[in-house]
């Protein structure tokens, strides 16, 4: 573990990215305490403050460092709350997709035969089909809401995990320790969970990191198209979408700052994922 | 080659059948089409008559059979909103999307591949590092966000390019095309660039990885020993060796570009099928949703088939394996 951390710390960019990710997570967790206002308590909003540029000192007596939106909401506070929702969706969807995908992939590798054929056929078919379309259709069919969105994101993403887990598990199952475990009278699920799964985890973690970033981006895209979360749960995508109509009149901050927050988060997660992939990949070891 | 062709055609037909069943189940069976078709204040008699007229009282597999039969005859139903046949509606919008997708895939290939080859040829150069950093951004940054920034920069602040619609079009082969007029080209520029960024990043990465590998191979060593110029080596050997994976990705990406056009078309109000599907989802226009999905699935299957065949033409080993 120490050696792993030492190797990670050698890459300055990855180190900074990790710090950014931790900072964003901390800010999202602490949003109710560090945001200057609760952006969704209507009593706090004053329409006189609406669409003010960054740095404007509003009627509540403090400066809106990132400006305000069309309802007179402090944009910094709205972004912190938006981060919270975006991150939550990304993590829940990513983790669920990983659980479903890993299970299916390992099951396919372990069971073999027609089970293997059926699962991997579907997975391959889905991998060739763009995730955004599938998510779009599911949201359209299931309706809007947090649970529906998670289902749509999981359905769009589990295939990546299934492919990865399947690849890792087929390589592992030929090794002697799995052979030995199978020879014992232990039940099949125990061999899968205690022996096969832990050895498939490193590649899954790498895919998981990247897929959390993808889930956040996908959620933001769906919300931007008006097919994501309901307006009562504004993620970053919806903040950007709300500001889009004011862009042409030069009030660019309403869209731009939430977008900057989104990009910083996604890019940082992707860089961490890249570094993890390089470290887990034995071919790149010096 | 003929056996290979038949095998692939059968596979494609099977996939198409599975997709149509999925789409049918997804859009027709999960939601209740009766609520959409019949106004809530209709009398009991009208309700019953409509349900019978649309065959909604029959078992699901029978409904699917009817749906499939119509599908084979090219009948995708009528749009609830526009009240014209879905096929007509989609085909009317399709050229705009095809034009956009093709333009962005071409940008991706003709800009991305040379940049990637350069980055692979000089992996440690400052320019190569810049190219690679930009490609990481191309992967991470959501398309819709880049679209906004492009509009902000080139349409709002600089005022160089228009931010919406197709501009002037010329009718050729029964469809309007923007790329044939200067005004249309200007309108095409921003959305095509926006849609191409992801492909660009991907082409750069693939071409770079391929070039790095090929540059270390014996082929290149021999070519150098034979006294060929670096330019000739890159053009004659490297490009040819990295071509196969690039062709595959190029083809497959064309399909996903059609799908991602949904986002770009919405931002730039580009009147293509992507914008149509978003509108029909919001309006619960089920026949259009089904029609669009079936057509996209069909395009996907066709593209996969063409890519497979092109692959076989480029790499004879695949043909032999399929025969064996």
């Amino acid at each position: 573990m120490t050696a792993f951390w030492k190797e990670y710390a050698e890459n300055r960019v990855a180190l900074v990215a990790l710090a950014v990710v931790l900072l964003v997570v901390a800010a999202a967790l602490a949003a109710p305490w560090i945001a200057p206002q609760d952006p969704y308590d209507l009593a706090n909003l004053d329409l006189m403050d609406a669409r003010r540029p960054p740095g404007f000192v509003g009627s509540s007596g403090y400066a809106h460092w990132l400006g305000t939106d069309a309802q007179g909401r402090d944009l910094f506070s709205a972004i912190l709350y938006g981060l919270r929702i975006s991150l939550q969706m990304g993590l829940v969807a990513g983790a669920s997709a990983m659980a479903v995908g890993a299970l299916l992939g390992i099951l396919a590798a372990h069971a073999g035969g027609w089970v293997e054929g059926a699962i991997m056929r579907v997975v391959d078919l889905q991998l060739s089909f763009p995730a955004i379309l599938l998510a779009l259709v599911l949201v359209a069919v299931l309706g809007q809401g947090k649970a529906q969105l998670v289902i749509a994101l999981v359905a769009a993403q589990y295939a990546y995990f299934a492919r990865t887990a399947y690849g890792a598990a087929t390589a592992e199952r030929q090794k002697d320790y799995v052979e030995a475990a199978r020879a014992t009278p232990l039940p099949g699920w125990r061999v899968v969970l205690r022996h096969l799964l832990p050895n498939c985890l490193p590649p899954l973690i790498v895919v998981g990191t990247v897929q959390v970033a993808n889930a956040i981006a996908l959620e933001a895209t769906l919300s931007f198209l008006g097919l994501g979360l309901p307006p009562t749960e504004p993620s970053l995508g919806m903040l950007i979408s709300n500001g889009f109509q004011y862009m042409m009149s030069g009030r660019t901050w309403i869209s731009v700052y939430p977008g900057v927050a989104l990009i910083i988060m996604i890019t940082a997660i992707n860089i961490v994922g890249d570094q993890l992939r390089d470290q887990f990949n034995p071919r790149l070891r010096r | 080659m003929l056996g290979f062709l038949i095998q692939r055609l059968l596979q494609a037909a099977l996939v198409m059948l599975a997709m149509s069943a999925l789409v049918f189940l997804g859009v027709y069976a999960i939601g209740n089409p009766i609520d959409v078709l019949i106004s809530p204040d209709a009398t009991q008699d009208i309700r019953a008559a409509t349900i019978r007229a649309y065959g909604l009282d029959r078992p699901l597999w029978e409904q699917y059979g009817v749906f499939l039969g119509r599908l084979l005859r090219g009948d995708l139903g009528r749009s609830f909103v526009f009240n014209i046949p879905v096929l007509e509606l989609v085909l009317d919008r399709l050229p705009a999307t095809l034009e956009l997708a093709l333009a962005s895939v071409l940008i991706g290939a003709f800009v991305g591949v040379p940049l990637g080859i350069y980055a692979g040829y000089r992996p440690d150069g400052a320019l190569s590092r810049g190219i690679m950093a930009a490609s990481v951004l191309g992967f991470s940054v959501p398309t819709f966000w880049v679209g906004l920034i492009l509009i902000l920069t080139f349409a709002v602040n600089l005022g160089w390019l228009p931010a919406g619609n197709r501009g002037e079009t010329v009718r050729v082969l029964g469809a309007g095309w923007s790329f044939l007029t200067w005004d249309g080209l200007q309108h095409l520029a921003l959305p095509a660039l926006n849609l191409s960024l992801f492909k660009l990043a991907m082409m750069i990465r693939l071409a770079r990885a391929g070039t790095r590998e090929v540059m270390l191979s014996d082929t290149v060593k021999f070519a150098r020993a034979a006294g060929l110029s670096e330019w000739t080596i890159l053009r004659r050997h490297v490009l040819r060796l990295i071509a196969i994976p690039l062709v595959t990705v190029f083809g497959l990406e064309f399909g996903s570009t059609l799908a991602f056009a949904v986002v770009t078309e919405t931002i730039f109000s580009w009147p293509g099928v992507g914008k149509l599907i978003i509108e029909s989802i919001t309006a619960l226009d089920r026949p259009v949703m089904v029609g669009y999905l079936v057509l996209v699935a069909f395009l996907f299957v066709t593209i996969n088939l063409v890519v497979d065949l092109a692959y076989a033409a480029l790499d004879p080993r695949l043909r032999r394996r399929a025969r064996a």
Side-chain angles (χ1 to χ4, degrees):
Chain A
M1 196 63 205
T2 332
F4 188 83
W5 169 245
K6 231 175 161 177
E7 197 187 335
Y8 187 96
E10 268 173 29
N11 185 341
R12 285 280 167 77
V13 179
L15 209 56
V16 172
L18 185 66
V20 170
V21 171
L22 293 178
L23 195 72
V24 166
V25 172
L29 285 176
W33 295 282
I34 58 173
Q37 77 173 193
D38 177 355
Y40 300 105
D41 181 359
L42 291 176
N44 281 338
L45 304 182
D46 187 344
L47 275 178
M48 291 297 285
D49 293 341
R51 299 191 289 274
R52 297 297 189 173
F56 173 78
V57 180
S59 53
S60 9
Y62 53 85
H64 299 291
W65 292 116
L66 300 181
T68 61
D69 74 359
Q71 272 85 46
R73 208 169 270 142
D74 178 46
L75 211 52
F76 179 61
S77 309
I79 290 175
L80 285 177
Y81 276 78
L83 271 181
R84 216 174 140 83
I85 293 168
S86 292
L87 206 59
Q88 187 193 351
M89 294 306 293
L91 284 174
V92 172
S96 316
M98 180 149 141
V100 173
L103 221 64
L104 282 175
I106 294 179
L107 182 72
H110 183 74
W114 68 268
V115 179
E116 179 178 12
I119 294 179
M120 292 324 288
R121 259 292 138 91
V122 174
V123 165
D124 281 341
L125 187 66
Q126 251 205 279
L127 280 178
S128 74
F129 204 74
I132 187 164
L133 259 194
L134 196 76
L136 214 64
V137 174
L138 280 173
V139 168
V141 169
L142 299 174
Q144 293 187 340
K146 261 190 183 172
Q148 286 92 325
L149 195 61
V150 169
I151 294 176
L153 292 175
V154 169
Q157 295 194 307
Y158 85 93
Y160 296 95
F161 293 100
R163 237 294 125 235
T164 313
Y166 175 76
T170 22
E172 289 296 323
R173 78 172 166 191
Q174 280 146 14
K175 294 192 181 158
D176 291 342
Y177 76 94
V178 178
E179 200 76 15
R182 279 201 201 205
T184 62
L186 291 174
W189 58 265
R190 213 186 124 100
V191 177
V192 169
L193 289 185
R194 292 289 294 275
H195 300 278
L196 219 44
L197 183 64
N199 287 297
C200 297
L201 271 183
L204 281 174
I205 291 171
V206 174
V207 176
T209 324
V210 177
Q211 287 302 322
V212 167
N214 279 351
I216 292 173
L218 201 56
E219 187 278 320
T221 306
L222 288 173
S223 286
F224 178 79
L225 293 173
L227 300 168
L229 292 171
T232 47
E233 313 237 30
S235 69
L236 289 175
M238 189 169 291
L239 292 180
I240 297 170
S241 164
N242 287 340
F244 185 35
Q245 49 182 317
Y246 301 106
M247 205 143 178
M248 293 295 180
S249 54
R251 296 190 185 89
T252 51
W253 63 90
I254 307 178
S255 252
V256 169
Y257 290 128
V260 170
L262 181 71
I263 285 165
I264 290 176
M265 176 162 64
I266 295 177
T267 314
I269 298 177
N270 272 335
I271 294 175
V272 171
D274 262 7
Q275 175 66 21
L276 288 181
R277 187 196 56 208
D278 288 353
Q279 270 184 254
F280 280 132
N281 188 346
R283 279 212 301 179
L284 289 175
R285 290 214 172 264
R286 284 141 289 175
Chain B
M1 192 69 191
L2 188 69
F4 182 72
L5 187 73
I6 292 171
Q7 186 195 341
R8 280 301 143 100
L9 275 174
L10 276 177
Q11 244 177 38
L14 254 171
V15 170
M16 223 24 242
L17 194 68
M19 287 304 293
S20 75
L22 276 179
V23 168
F24 176 79
L25 274 178
V27 181
Y28 271 90
I30 295 180
N32 187 357
I34 301 172
D35 298 339
V36 189
L37 285 168
I38 307 167
S39 88
D41 42 73
T43 65
Q44 210 45 259
D45 288 346
I46 297 180
R47 253 186 103 83
T50 321
I51 289 176
R52 224 174 304 121
Y54 281 90
L56 294 174
D57 52 345
R58 284 184 252 156
L60 203 59
W61 60 268
E62 219 179 297
Q63 287 187 45
Y64 175 63
V66 173
F67 167 77
L68 207 60
R70 287 216 184 116
L71 202 62
L72 288 177
R73 273 176 275 133
D75 180 4
L76 291 167
R78 286 178 92 82
S79 157
F80 295 155
V81 175
F82 297 93
N83 199 25
I84 55 170
V86 171
L87 193 66
E88 205 176 292
L89 190 65
V90 172
L91 287 183
D92 187 49
R93 303 276 194 106
L94 199 59
T97 301
L98 283 179
E99 179 177 66
L100 182 62
L102 202 62
S104 59
V105 171
L106 287 179
I107 295 177
F110 284 102
V111 179
V113 172
L115 285 179
I117 291 182
Y118 179 83
Y121 183 67
R122 289 233 163 83
D124 297 317
L127 186 60
S128 304
R129 283 172 193 276
I131 293 172
M132 291 320 287
S135 85
V136 172
L137 271 182
F139 266 125
S140 325
V141 181
T143 309
F144 75 93
W145 168 250
V146 182
L148 293 189
I149 296 301
L150 285 176
I151 291 183
L152 185 63
T153 314
F154 293 101
V156 179
N157 286 346
L158 296 172
W160 288 351
L161 291 165
N165 290 315
R166 292 186 73 185
E168 210 179 308
T169 54
V170 174
R171 287 197 83 79
V172 177
L173 300 171
W177 303 97
S178 290
F179 73 99
L180 295 172
T181 67
W182 176 236
D183 183 54
L185 264 183
Q186 281 182 318
H187 281 82
L188 181 62
L190 285 184
L193 183 64
N194 180 214
L195 193 54
S196 76
L197 286 175
F198 190 80
K199 328 285 144 207
L200 205 62
M202 181 176 263
M203 283 297 177
I204 289 177
R205 296 198 139 206
L206 280 172
R208 174 178 177 267
T211 308
R212 282 190 78 171
E213 224 163 87
V214 175
M215 286 311 287
L216 297 173
S217 69
D218 293 342
T219 320
V220 171
K221 274 185 208 141
F222 275 115
R224 276 188 175 146
L228 293 178
S229 74
E230 292 290 296
W231 174 243
T232 316
I233 293 173
L234 279 181
R235 201 165 41 92
R236 287 252 296 269
H237 299 282
V238 176
L239 190 61
R240 191 167 297 173
L241 282 167
I242 64 173
I244 293 182
L246 286 182
V247 168
T248 322
V249 175
F250 184 87
L252 294 177
E253 280 304 300
F254 184 65
S256 79
T257 310
L258 286 177
F260 269 96
V262 168
V263 179
T264 301
E265 284 178 8
T266 308
I267 300 169
F268 290 92
S269 357
W270 187 261
V273 279
K275 198 159 173 293
L276 181 71
I277 178 80
I278 294 290
E279 286 163 359
S280 68
I281 287 175
T282 342
L284 283 177
D285 198 346
R286 278 167 205 270
V288 179
M289 284 158 65
V290 172
Y292 171 81
L293 289 171
V294 169
L295 274 180
V296 169
F298 179 70
L299 277 172
F300 254 84
V301 171
T302 316
I303 291 167
N304 279 345
L305 188 70
V306 171
V307 169
D308 271 355
L309 295 180
Y311 216 101
L314 281 173
D315 189 346
R317 278 174 304 178
L318 287 177
R319 261 172 290 165
R320 255 175 254 138
R321 203 177 304 150
R323 213 182 294 144

